[in-house]
Amino acid sequence: ADTRGLPRTVRAVLIIGPDKKVKASMQYPLSVGVNFFEILRLLDALQVSSLESVHTPVNWVKSQDVIISPDMPTDAALEKPSFQQGLRIIDLPSRKEYLRITPDPTSAAEEEEEGGSAAEA
């Protein structure tokens, strides 16, 4: 509420998935502008992580490298067709191999689709 006790407007962004569940929400006070590019970045990150077993690092944008989910064993990741572009294991002090980086698998699929449609034309 403002100094007169009146309610203040809040801008809210909700991203709802096909399963009708809220996947992300952001709230901004009226005095703060909304960064539309951040909303698009969030939407891209949600889409790639829902299609593949990956996570997106901070400031990630579409077509940059992604992190393979720690839940997926390295052997299984190497067998997945979407990770055939390779993966890089980051050396950690613990010597555990759970931080694995791979190219954005959705970018490779889009390039194949574009190449296929161009060849057909």
Side-chain angles (χ1 to χ4, degrees), residues 3-43:
T3 56
R4 297 173 291 174
L6 298 173
R8 296 193 51 129
T9 302
V10 174
R11 296 177 182 161
V13 176
L14 297 172
I15 298 179
I16 301 170
D19 58 358
K20 297 184 175 42
K21 292 183 180 177
V22 174
K23 301 301 180 183
S25 68
M26 296 186 284
Q27 294 181 338
Y28 299 87
L30 182 61
S31 60
V32 176
V34 176
N35 183 339
F36 191 70
F37 293 107
E38 175 60 14
I39 295 169
L40 291 176
R41 188 192 78 77
L42 173 60
L43 187 58

Short mmCIF file of all heavy atoms in Angstrom, two decimals, residues 3-43:
data_model
loop_
_atom_site.label_atom_id
_atom_site.label_comp_id
_atom_site.label_asym_id
_atom_site.label_seq_id
_atom_site.Cartn_x
_atom_site.Cartn_y
_atom_site.Cartn_z
N THR A 3 1.35 5.57 0.77
CA THR A 3 1.25 6.34 2.01
C THR A 3 -0.20 6.67 2.37
O THR A 3 -0.50 6.96 3.52
CB THR A 3 2.05 7.66 1.89
OG1 THR A 3 1.59 8.38 0.74
CG2 THR A 3 3.53 7.36 1.76
N ARG A 4 -1.10 6.61 1.39
CA ARG A 4 -2.52 6.88 1.65
C ARG A 4 -3.29 5.61 1.97
O ARG A 4 -4.49 5.63 2.16
CB ARG A 4 -3.15 7.58 0.44
CG ARG A 4 -2.51 8.95 0.16
CD ARG A 4 -3.03 9.52 -1.14
NE ARG A 4 -2.49 8.67 -2.22
CZ ARG A 4 -2.80 8.78 -3.49
NH1 ARG A 4 -3.68 9.67 -3.88
NH2 ARG A 4 -2.26 8.00 -4.38
N GLY A 5 -2.59 4.46 1.98
CA GLY A 5 -3.25 3.20 2.28
C GLY A 5 -3.89 2.54 1.06
O GLY A 5 -4.58 1.53 1.19
N LEU A 6 -3.64 3.10 -0.12
CA LEU A 6 -4.20 2.53 -1.34
C LEU A 6 -3.31 1.40 -1.85
O LEU A 6 -2.08 1.48 -1.72
CB LEU A 6 -4.35 3.61 -2.42
CG LEU A 6 -5.30 4.75 -2.08
CD1 LEU A 6 -5.23 5.84 -3.14
CD2 LEU A 6 -6.73 4.23 -1.95
N PRO A 7 -3.88 0.38 -2.44
CA PRO A 7 -3.05 -0.72 -2.96
C PRO A 7 -2.19 -0.24 -4.12
O PRO A 7 -2.58 0.64 -4.87
CB PRO A 7 -4.08 -1.76 -3.43
CG PRO A 7 -5.38 -1.07 -3.49
CD PRO A 7 -5.30 0.16 -2.64
N ARG A 8 -1.01 -0.83 -4.25
CA ARG A 8 -0.10 -0.49 -5.34
C ARG A 8 -0.13 -1.58 -6.39
O ARG A 8 -0.26 -2.76 -6.08
CB ARG A 8 1.32 -0.32 -4.80
CG ARG A 8 1.37 0.85 -3.83
CD ARG A 8 2.76 1.24 -3.53
NE ARG A 8 3.53 1.44 -4.74
CZ ARG A 8 4.24 2.53 -4.99
NH1 ARG A 8 4.26 3.49 -4.13
NH2 ARG A 8 4.94 2.63 -6.08
N THR A 9 0.00 -1.17 -7.62
CA THR A 9 0.00 -2.12 -8.73
C THR A 9 1.30 -2.89 -8.76
O THR A 9 2.38 -2.33 -8.54
CB THR A 9 -0.18 -1.36 -10.06
OG1 THR A 9 -1.39 -0.63 -10.00
CG2 THR A 9 -0.21 -2.31 -11.23
N VAL A 10 1.21 -4.17 -9.04
CA VAL A 10 2.38 -5.03 -9.20
C VAL A 10 2.25 -5.71 -10.56
O VAL A 10 1.18 -6.18 -10.93
CB VAL A 10 2.46 -6.11 -8.10
CG1 VAL A 10 3.59 -7.08 -8.36
CG2 VAL A 10 2.62 -5.45 -6.75
N ARG A 11 3.34 -5.69 -11.32
CA ARG A 11 3.33 -6.42 -12.59
C ARG A 11 3.74 -7.86 -12.30
O ARG A 11 4.70 -8.11 -11.59
CB ARG A 11 4.34 -5.80 -13.55
CG ARG A 11 4.01 -4.40 -13.94
CD ARG A 11 5.10 -3.85 -14.82
NE ARG A 11 4.79 -2.48 -15.17
CZ ARG A 11 5.68 -1.62 -15.60
NH1 ARG A 11 6.93 -1.99 -15.74
NH2 ARG A 11 5.33 -0.40 -15.90
N ALA A 12 3.00 -8.78 -12.84
CA ALA A 12 3.31 -10.19 -12.62
C ALA A 12 3.38 -10.90 -13.97
O ALA A 12 2.58 -10.64 -14.86
CB ALA A 12 2.24 -10.84 -11.76
N VAL A 13 4.37 -11.76 -14.09
CA VAL A 13 4.52 -12.60 -15.27
C VAL A 13 4.45 -14.04 -14.80
O VAL A 13 5.19 -14.44 -13.90
CB VAL A 13 5.87 -12.35 -15.98
CG1 VAL A 13 6.06 -13.29 -17.15
CG2 VAL A 13 6.00 -10.90 -16.42
N LEU A 14 3.54 -14.81 -15.37
CA LEU A 14 3.42 -16.23 -15.06
C LEU A 14 3.66 -17.01 -16.35
O LEU A 14 3.09 -16.68 -17.39
CB LEU A 14 2.03 -16.56 -14.53
CG LEU A 14 1.63 -15.89 -13.21
CD1 LEU A 14 0.17 -16.17 -12.92
CD2 LEU A 14 2.50 -16.38 -12.08
N ILE A 15 4.47 -18.03 -16.27
CA ILE A 15 4.65 -18.93 -17.41
C ILE A 15 4.03 -20.26 -17.01
O ILE A 15 4.44 -20.88 -16.03
CB ILE A 15 6.14 -19.08 -17.80
CG1 ILE A 15 6.67 -17.71 -18.22
CG2 ILE A 15 6.30 -20.11 -18.91
CD1 ILE A 15 8.12 -17.68 -18.62
N ILE A 16 3.04 -20.66 -17.78
CA ILE A 16 2.29 -21.88 -17.49
C ILE A 16 2.57 -22.89 -18.57
O ILE A 16 2.49 -22.58 -19.77
CB ILE A 16 0.77 -21.57 -17.40
CG1 ILE A 16 0.56 -20.52 -16.30
CG2 ILE A 16 -0.03 -22.82 -17.15
CD1 ILE A 16 -0.82 -19.95 -16.23
N GLY A 17 2.93 -24.10 -18.17
CA GLY A 17 3.27 -25.16 -19.12
C GLY A 17 2.05 -25.83 -19.71
O GLY A 17 0.92 -25.59 -19.28
N PRO A 18 2.29 -26.70 -20.71
CA PRO A 18 1.19 -27.43 -21.34
C PRO A 18 0.42 -28.30 -20.34
O PRO A 18 -0.74 -28.61 -20.57
CB PRO A 18 1.87 -28.30 -22.39
CG PRO A 18 3.25 -27.80 -22.52
CD PRO A 18 3.57 -26.99 -21.30
N ASP A 19 1.07 -28.66 -19.23
CA ASP A 19 0.41 -29.47 -18.21
C ASP A 19 -0.43 -28.61 -17.25
O ASP A 19 -0.93 -29.10 -16.26
CB ASP A 19 1.43 -30.28 -17.42
CG ASP A 19 2.48 -29.40 -16.74
OD1 ASP A 19 2.44 -28.16 -16.91
OD2 ASP A 19 3.34 -29.96 -16.04
N LYS A 20 -0.56 -27.33 -17.58
CA LYS A 20 -1.36 -26.36 -16.81
C LYS A 20 -0.78 -26.10 -15.42
O LYS A 20 -1.50 -25.73 -14.50
CB LYS A 20 -2.82 -26.79 -16.74
CG LYS A 20 -3.48 -26.84 -18.10
CD LYS A 20 -4.95 -27.18 -17.99
CE LYS A 20 -5.69 -27.12 -19.28
NZ LYS A 20 -5.16 -27.63 -20.46
N LYS A 21 0.53 -26.28 -15.26
CA LYS A 21 1.20 -25.97 -14.00
C LYS A 21 2.09 -24.75 -14.20
O LYS A 21 2.68 -24.57 -15.27
CB LYS A 21 2.06 -27.15 -13.55
CG LYS A 21 1.24 -28.35 -13.14
CD LYS A 21 2.11 -29.47 -12.62
CE LYS A 21 1.26 -30.66 -12.22
NZ LYS A 21 2.07 -31.78 -11.78
N VAL A 22 2.20 -23.93 -13.16
CA VAL A 22 3.05 -22.75 -13.23
C VAL A 22 4.51 -23.21 -13.23
O VAL A 22 4.95 -23.92 -12.34
CB VAL A 22 2.78 -21.80 -12.04
CG1 VAL A 22 3.76 -20.64 -12.04
CG2 VAL A 22 1.35 -21.28 -12.08
N LYS A 23 5.24 -22.81 -14.26
CA LYS A 23 6.65 -23.18 -14.39
C LYS A 23 7.56 -22.07 -13.86
O LYS A 23 8.67 -22.34 -13.43
CB LYS A 23 7.00 -23.46 -15.86
CG LYS A 23 6.17 -24.58 -16.48
CD LYS A 23 6.33 -25.88 -15.73
CE LYS A 23 5.51 -26.99 -16.37
NZ LYS A 23 5.58 -28.22 -15.63
N ALA A 24 7.09 -20.82 -13.93
CA ALA A 24 7.88 -19.69 -13.43
C ALA A 24 6.95 -18.53 -13.15
O ALA A 24 5.91 -18.38 -13.79
CB ALA A 24 8.94 -19.29 -14.44
N SER A 25 7.34 -17.71 -12.19
CA SER A 25 6.59 -16.48 -11.92
C SER A 25 7.58 -15.39 -11.54
O SER A 25 8.59 -15.66 -10.89
CB SER A 25 5.57 -16.69 -10.81
OG SER A 25 6.21 -16.90 -9.58
N MET A 26 7.30 -14.20 -11.99
CA MET A 26 8.13 -13.03 -11.66
C MET A 26 7.19 -11.90 -11.29
O MET A 26 6.14 -11.74 -11.91
CB MET A 26 8.99 -12.63 -12.86
CG MET A 26 10.00 -13.66 -13.27
SD MET A 26 11.11 -13.10 -14.57
CE MET A 26 10.05 -13.21 -15.99
N GLN A 27 7.56 -11.13 -10.30
CA GLN A 27 6.76 -9.98 -9.91
C GLN A 27 7.66 -8.76 -9.85
O GLN A 27 8.79 -8.83 -9.36
CB GLN A 27 6.10 -10.21 -8.55
CG GLN A 27 5.09 -11.30 -8.58
CD GLN A 27 4.43 -11.51 -7.24
OE1 GLN A 27 4.96 -11.13 -6.20
NE2 GLN A 27 3.25 -12.10 -7.25
N TYR A 28 7.15 -7.66 -10.37
CA TYR A 28 7.88 -6.40 -10.40
C TYR A 28 6.98 -5.31 -9.82
O TYR A 28 5.79 -5.27 -10.14
CB TYR A 28 8.20 -5.99 -11.84
CG TYR A 28 9.06 -6.93 -12.62
CD1 TYR A 28 8.51 -8.00 -13.33
CD2 TYR A 28 10.44 -6.75 -12.68
CE1 TYR A 28 9.31 -8.85 -14.07
CE2 TYR A 28 11.24 -7.59 -13.42
CZ TYR A 28 10.66 -8.65 -14.11
OH TYR A 28 11.46 -9.48 -14.85
N PRO A 29 7.52 -4.39 -9.04
CA PRO A 29 6.70 -3.24 -8.63
C PRO A 29 6.46 -2.34 -9.85
O PRO A 29 7.22 -2.38 -10.82
CB PRO A 29 7.57 -2.54 -7.58
CG PRO A 29 8.94 -3.04 -7.78
CD PRO A 29 8.85 -4.37 -8.46
N LEU A 30 5.44 -1.55 -9.79
CA LEU A 30 5.09 -0.67 -10.90
C LEU A 30 6.26 0.25 -11.28
O LEU A 30 6.45 0.58 -12.45
CB LEU A 30 3.86 0.16 -10.53
CG LEU A 30 3.34 1.10 -11.61
CD1 LEU A 30 2.94 0.30 -12.85
CD2 LEU A 30 2.17 1.91 -11.11
N SER A 31 7.07 0.61 -10.30
CA SER A 31 8.16 1.56 -10.54
C SER A 31 9.36 0.95 -11.27
O SER A 31 10.27 1.64 -11.66
CB SER A 31 8.63 2.16 -9.22
OG SER A 31 9.09 1.13 -8.37
N VAL A 32 9.35 -0.38 -11.46
CA VAL A 32 10.48 -1.06 -12.10
C VAL A 32 10.03 -1.62 -13.44
O VAL A 32 9.03 -2.31 -13.54
CB VAL A 32 11.00 -2.21 -11.20
CG1 VAL A 32 12.11 -2.99 -11.89
CG2 VAL A 32 11.48 -1.67 -9.88
N GLY A 33 10.79 -1.31 -14.48
CA GLY A 33 10.46 -1.82 -15.80
C GLY A 33 10.72 -3.31 -15.91
O GLY A 33 11.56 -3.87 -15.21
N VAL A 34 9.99 -3.94 -16.80
CA VAL A 34 10.14 -5.38 -17.03
C VAL A 34 11.11 -5.59 -18.19
O VAL A 34 10.97 -4.96 -19.24
CB VAL A 34 8.77 -6.01 -17.35
CG1 VAL A 34 8.91 -7.48 -17.68
CG2 VAL A 34 7.81 -5.81 -16.19
N ASN A 35 12.08 -6.47 -18.01
CA ASN A 35 13.03 -6.77 -19.07
C ASN A 35 12.44 -7.90 -19.92
O ASN A 35 12.47 -9.07 -19.54
CB ASN A 35 14.37 -7.18 -18.47
CG ASN A 35 15.42 -7.44 -19.53
OD1 ASN A 35 15.11 -7.69 -20.70
ND2 ASN A 35 16.67 -7.37 -19.13
N PHE A 36 11.92 -7.54 -21.08
CA PHE A 36 11.27 -8.52 -21.95
C PHE A 36 12.25 -9.59 -22.42
O PHE A 36 11.89 -10.75 -22.57
CB PHE A 36 10.61 -7.82 -23.13
CG PHE A 36 9.70 -8.71 -23.92
CD1 PHE A 36 8.50 -9.14 -23.39
CD2 PHE A 36 10.07 -9.16 -25.17
CE1 PHE A 36 7.67 -9.99 -24.11
CE2 PHE A 36 9.25 -10.00 -25.90
CZ PHE A 36 8.04 -10.42 -25.36
N PHE A 37 13.51 -9.21 -22.63
CA PHE A 37 14.50 -10.19 -23.08
C PHE A 37 14.77 -11.24 -22.00
O PHE A 37 15.04 -12.38 -22.31
CB PHE A 37 15.80 -9.49 -23.52
CG PHE A 37 15.62 -8.67 -24.74
CD1 PHE A 37 15.60 -7.29 -24.68
CD2 PHE A 37 15.42 -9.27 -25.98
CE1 PHE A 37 15.40 -6.52 -25.81
CE2 PHE A 37 15.21 -8.51 -27.12
CZ PHE A 37 15.21 -7.13 -27.04
N GLU A 38 14.66 -10.85 -20.74
CA GLU A 38 14.81 -11.83 -19.65
C GLU A 38 13.65 -12.81 -19.65
O GLU A 38 13.83 -14.00 -19.41
CB GLU A 38 14.93 -11.12 -18.30
CG GLU A 38 14.96 -12.06 -17.11
CD GLU A 38 16.12 -13.05 -17.10
OE1 GLU A 38 17.09 -12.89 -17.87
OE2 GLU A 38 16.05 -14.01 -16.32
N ILE A 39 12.47 -12.33 -19.97
CA ILE A 39 11.31 -13.22 -20.05
C ILE A 39 11.50 -14.22 -21.20
O ILE A 39 11.25 -15.41 -21.04
CB ILE A 39 10.00 -12.42 -20.22
CG1 ILE A 39 9.76 -11.59 -18.96
CG2 ILE A 39 8.82 -13.34 -20.50
CD1 ILE A 39 8.65 -10.56 -19.09
N LEU A 40 11.98 -13.76 -22.34
CA LEU A 40 12.24 -14.66 -23.47
C LEU A 40 13.35 -15.66 -23.14
O LEU A 40 13.27 -16.83 -23.48
CB LEU A 40 12.61 -13.86 -24.72
CG LEU A 40 11.48 -13.03 -25.33
CD1 LEU A 40 12.01 -12.22 -26.51
CD2 LEU A 40 10.33 -13.91 -25.76
N ARG A 41 14.40 -15.18 -22.44
CA ARG A 41 15.50 -16.07 -22.03
C ARG A 41 14.98 -17.16 -21.10
O ARG A 41 15.31 -18.33 -21.24
CB ARG A 41 16.60 -15.26 -21.34
CG ARG A 41 17.86 -16.06 -21.05
CD ARG A 41 18.79 -15.29 -20.12
NE ARG A 41 18.34 -15.36 -18.75
CZ ARG A 41 18.50 -16.43 -17.96
NH1 ARG A 41 19.09 -17.51 -18.40
NH2 ARG A 41 18.06 -16.42 -16.71
N LEU A 42 14.12 -16.76 -20.16
CA LEU A 42 13.53 -17.73 -19.23
C LEU A 42 12.68 -18.75 -19.98
O LEU A 42 12.77 -19.95 -19.72
CB LEU A 42 12.68 -17.00 -18.18
CG LEU A 42 11.87 -17.86 -17.23
CD1 LEU A 42 12.76 -18.78 -16.42
CD2 LEU A 42 11.01 -16.98 -16.33
N LEU A 43 11.89 -18.29 -20.92
CA LEU A 43 11.05 -19.19 -21.71
C LEU A 43 11.91 -20.18 -22.51
O LEU A 43 11.64 -21.39 -22.52
CB LEU A 43 10.15 -18.39 -22.65
CG LEU A 43 9.10 -19.16 -23.41
CD1 LEU A 43 8.17 -19.91 -22.48
CD2 LEU A 43 8.30 -18.20 -24.28
#
